[in-house]
Amino acid sequence: GQALLRAQPAAKSYACEAPADIQASIDQASLTRIDALLEQDPNNFWLLRAYIDATIGRPRVGTIQAPDTAIPKDRVDESVIDRYRKKYAARPSDPEAAYLYAYALVHRDTGKSIEILDTVTQQTPSFPSAWLTLAVIHNFPNYFDQAKQRKYAENYIAQCPNTIESRIAGIAMKLDRSDALTN
């Protein structure tokens, strides 16, 4: 409880990607391992996101999909969404809590996910994961919008100029010429 009430620094810096040691743990982790890592570090954004990825398809498939930093590949189980909904309700102004709830909603209530992510980008424009996820969502057939893809991808790159993010490269190749994206 007390860790949730810590005051956030006035100008928090948000990482473009998980630290190498966390990413290595995520890449090799099963759901059980991610649970164990979260017990040690329950507020780690990257582990919380990996947990969402690792639970996808669990009830239907019986095997865990490799954690991915892109976007959920399928619908997230309602119990997982509820877990993140509660964290968001407890901390609605926390961009990480808002992002994780929105991320869990992709493919189940993508419209609400977009709404929450747009709010995150407006209130915390320095939060790169929201920009990236919105760029990817606007590549989905039902939400396809090149102008929004460009806006979100360019804002992601503004936050993460040294990115080697493959989804951003893919989006840049499909869009009309954009100097920020091409670079």
Side-chain angles (χ1 to χ4, degrees), residues 135-156:
V136 173
I137 288 173
H138 285 291
N139 195 37
F140 292 175
N142 290 349
Y143 297 94
F144 186 78
D145 185 321
Q146 274 195 338
K148 289 181 179 180
Q149 273 185 349
R150 176 187 314 284
K151 171 187 164 186
Y152 297 132
E154 286 178 349
N155 278 290
Y156 174 77

Side-chain angles (χ1 to χ4, degrees), residues 7 17-18 30 35 57 59 63-64 92 102 107 115 128 133 139 160 170 176 178 180:
E17 56 193 34
S30 64
D35 272 336
T63 59
I64 309 245
H107 299 304
E115 180 183 315
T133 300
N139 195 37
C160 303
D176 294 334
S178 164

Side-chain angles (χ1 to χ4, degrees), residues 53-64:
D53 291 327
T55 61
I56 294 170
R58 180 177 51 157
R60 292 183 303 271
V61 181
T63 59
I64 309 245

Side-chain angles (χ1 to χ4, degrees), residues 6-14:
R6 274 190 311 216
Q8 295 294 324
K12 183 172 180 181
S13 174
Y14 296 99

Side-chain angles (χ1 to χ4, degrees), residues 10-170:
K12 183 172 180 181
S13 174
Y14 296 99
C16 295
E17 56 193 34
D21 60 330
I22 297 287
Q23 189 60 52
S25 295
I26 290 169
D27 290 344
Q28 299 169 5
S30 64
L31 181 59
T32 305
R33 177 77 177 124
I34 291 173
D35 272 336
L37 292 169
L38 278 169
E39 283 180 25
Q40 297 168 19
D41 193 358
N43 296 314
N44 184 295
F45 170 78
W46 303 104
L47 294 173
L48 289 165
R49 191 168 75 173
Y51 179 85
I52 294 168
D53 291 327
T55 61
I56 294 170
R58 180 177 51 157
R60 292 183 303 271
V61 181
T63 59
I64 309 245
Q65 291 182 341
D68 187 345
T69 59
I71 202 155
K73 290 178 176 34
D74 200 354
R75 288 179 172 210
V76 173
D77 186 72
E78 195 62 45
S79 66
V80 175
I81 291 172
D82 192 50
R83 174 179 175 172
Y84 288 90
R85 181 184 299 119
K86 288 175 183 171
K87 289 177 186 252
Y88 174 54
R91 302 184 335 250
S93 62
D94 177 352
E96 290 182 356
Y99 174 85
L100 290 165
Y101 176 49
Y103 184 77
L105 287 174
V106 173
H107 299 304
R108 192 167 289 276
D109 190 347
T110 306
K112 183 163 181 74
S113 179
I114 291 169
E115 180 183 315
I116 294 168
L117 292 169
D118 274 332
T119 299
V120 171
T121 64
Q122 291 164 21
Q123 293 177 352
T124 313
S126 62
F127 193 76
S129 295
W131 295 110
L132 173 60
T133 300
L134 282 164
V136 173
I137 288 173
H138 285 291
N139 195 37
F140 292 175
N142 290 349
Y143 297 94
F144 186 78
D145 185 321
Q146 274 195 338
K148 289 181 179 180
Q149 273 185 349
R150 176 187 314 284
K151 171 187 164 186
Y152 297 132
E154 286 178 349
N155 278 290
Y156 174 77
I157 288 177
Q159 299 303 313
C160 303
N162 298 321
T163 188
I164 54 170
E165 174 54 56
S166 63
R167 288 169 304 267
I168 292 296

